[in-house]
Amino acid sequence: MRSNRGRDTKPELAIRRLLHAAGYRYRVDTAPIPGMRRRADIVFTRRRIAVFIDGCFWHGCPQHYTAPKTNADFWARKVEANRARDSDTDRTLRAAGWTVLRVWEHESPAEMFAAVRSAMEDTTGSGTDRS
């Protein structure tokens, strides 16, 4: 389990490269709300956008998740608890006025970038101000 990265995964690095090249600036692996014990992968603090790049195994991707045969009950509870925590995090952030984006690690970086760009445009009305 130690080899599972908490940050700087390949999908994260790919989307961050695209965002940075497009002129967007962001925070990495940061709690969107001070004191919140949950961290988003990419945070645009001024725009109040939190991006979570969810792993297919850990968050139970409907397309790619397959339950392990060994210790199946433990893993089923673990993934369900992760999903419940994700829902709670989304509710908490939205209640505080944040836009929450959740993308799967299997999505292409271009799709992820398009989703973030769309959210950025929705929060300002235009995509020219990049902060």
Side-chain angles (χ1 to χ4, degrees):
M1 294 310 223
R2 277 188 214 167
S3 65
N4 291 323
R5 292 175 143 309
R7 63 175 276 178
D8 298 336
T9 63
K10 287 182 183 180
E12 286 178 38
L13 293 174
I15 183 62
R16 285 173 16 203
R17 271 189 223 101
L18 290 173
L19 289 168
H20 195 270
Y24 293 110
R25 298 301 178 256
Y26 47 83
R27 294 185 184 270
V28 176
D29 190 35
T30 301
I33 300 172
M36 184 177 198
R37 293 190 51 171
R38 298 170 189 162
R39 302 166 78 83
D41 297 308
I42 300 170
V43 177
F44 297 92
T45 52
R46 284 190 227 148
R47 301 281 180 90
R48 298 172 68 95
I49 298 172
V51 181
F52 295 88
I53 302 171
D54 292 339
C56 291
F57 176 78
W58 296 105
H59 298 269
C61 172
Q63 287 181 320
H64 299 108
Y65 177 74
T66 54
K69 291 179 182 22
T70 304
N71 212 359
D73 289 338
F74 168 80
W75 287 109
R77 286 191 310 270
K78 173 70 175 162
V79 170
E80 191 54 42
N82 288 349
R83 286 178 171 174
R85 186 190 63 233
D86 293 344
S87 293
D88 181 60
T89 300
D90 294 353
R91 265 192 309 279
T92 301
L93 288 173
R94 287 186 178 119
W98 283 75
T99 299
V100 178
L101 294 176
R102 287 205 175 261
V103 295
W104 292 106
E105 69 178 348
H106 68 261
E107 292 181 48
S108 75
E111 289 173 343
M112 292 183 210
F113 177 76
V116 172
R117 176 180 276 178
S118 177
M120 296 291 275
E121 290 172 356
D122 288 347
T123 59
T124 63
S126 74
T128 56
D129 178 31
R130 297 187 176 163
S131 58

